[in-house]
Amino acid sequence: MPDPTPRIKVCGTTSVHDAVLSAQAGADALGFIFAPISKRLVSPGVARAAGLSVGPAVARVGVFLDQGLDEVLRTAEAARVSAAQLHGPLSEAFVRAVADFYPVLRVLRPADLDTEGKLWQDVAGVTLMLDAPQPGGGLPLDWEELRETFPPGAWLAGGLGPWNVAEAIRVLRPAAVDAVSHLESRPGVKDSAKVAAFVAAIRTPSI
Ligand SMILES: O=C(O)c1ccccc1NCC(=O)[C@H](O)[C@H](O)COP(=O)(O)O
């Protein structure tokens, strides 16, 4: 039987300190945001050092929004990420071009599921992530509304925190969960107690 416990991605890592903190808490993946509009923007150099500090078992995901193909590939290479997370409206050709080099997390809003969701459903190397319309905004999706349409194997983001992640998993059974806003003491800085509580809420079996 497949393991029903979802993988955990902690996004918005901006320092070696926070990378180690998240990895020690049990994160399977760290997100490094390279979108210039983000309050959690990190340089490729710091992301690279942070990724090297956590060892080989933790995935390093470069996060991009409204950036050209050249910039995405150059930044991903400089940061030595192991996967690319792509937000925003993008052509099929763009996503495929990135997927030629990195496993892609293609981020969709629920409204995109009918169209782009179907496109990537069975494409090797492209995994869907459902997120709120404003990435990093801390607002949850309506999980009950998504119950019928949530794609098998997709990742879930959007307003997840220690108090609600178990319920989201119960309703949608995502392959992985991702969070940032509710794991911070301020934008770009992790709160170790919140990260630990998030991991515990996912990994502690309910009676
Ligand atoms: O978090 C950001 O600042 C951000 C900015 C631009 C593009 C993506 C961004 N975050 C991507 C993530 O993977 C977040 O973890 C995801 O949107 C969930 O965020 P939250 O609802 O705050 O947990």
Side-chain angles (χ1 to χ4, degrees), residues 9-12 33 35 37-41 63-65 85 87 107 129 131-132 134-140 157-160 178-182:
K9 172 170 166 268
V10 173
C11 204
I33 302 175
I37 63 147
S38 178
K39 293 176 283 190
R40 293 130 185 156
L41 179 66
V63 179
F64 301 92
L65 167 69
Q85 179 174 323
H87 290 252
V107 185
M129 176 190 276
D131 193 8
Q134 192 200 333
L139 289 178
L160 298 175
D178 166 273
V180 61
S181 299
H182 299 299

Side-chain angles (χ1 to χ4, degrees), residues 42-116:
V42 66
S43 70
V46 169
R48 179 177 171 172
L52 288 171
S53 73
V54 294
V58 180
R60 291 101 46 217
V61 182
V63 179
F64 301 92
L65 167 69
D66 292 339
Q67 289 157 277
L69 183 59
D70 220 51
E71 186 181 340
V72 169
L73 294 180
R74 271 190 293 104
T75 306
E77 165 71 16
R80 301 286 195 272
V81 294
S82 55
Q85 179 174 323
L86 304 177
H87 290 252
L90 294 171
S91 70
E92 179 180 347
F94 186 103
V95 175
R96 284 189 187 276
V98 177
D100 281 344
F101 293 90
Y102 298 95
V104 166
L105 272 170
R106 176 62 178 129
V107 185
L108 300 180
R109 305 161 304 170
D112 306 320
L113 268 180
D114 265 355
T115 49
E116 214 187 318

Side-chain angles (χ1 to χ4, degrees), residues 156-173:
L156 178 68
L160 298 175
W163 71 95
N164 67 0
V165 69
E167 177 63 7
I169 292 166
R170 190 187 67 74
V171 176
L172 295 177
R173 298 275 160 217

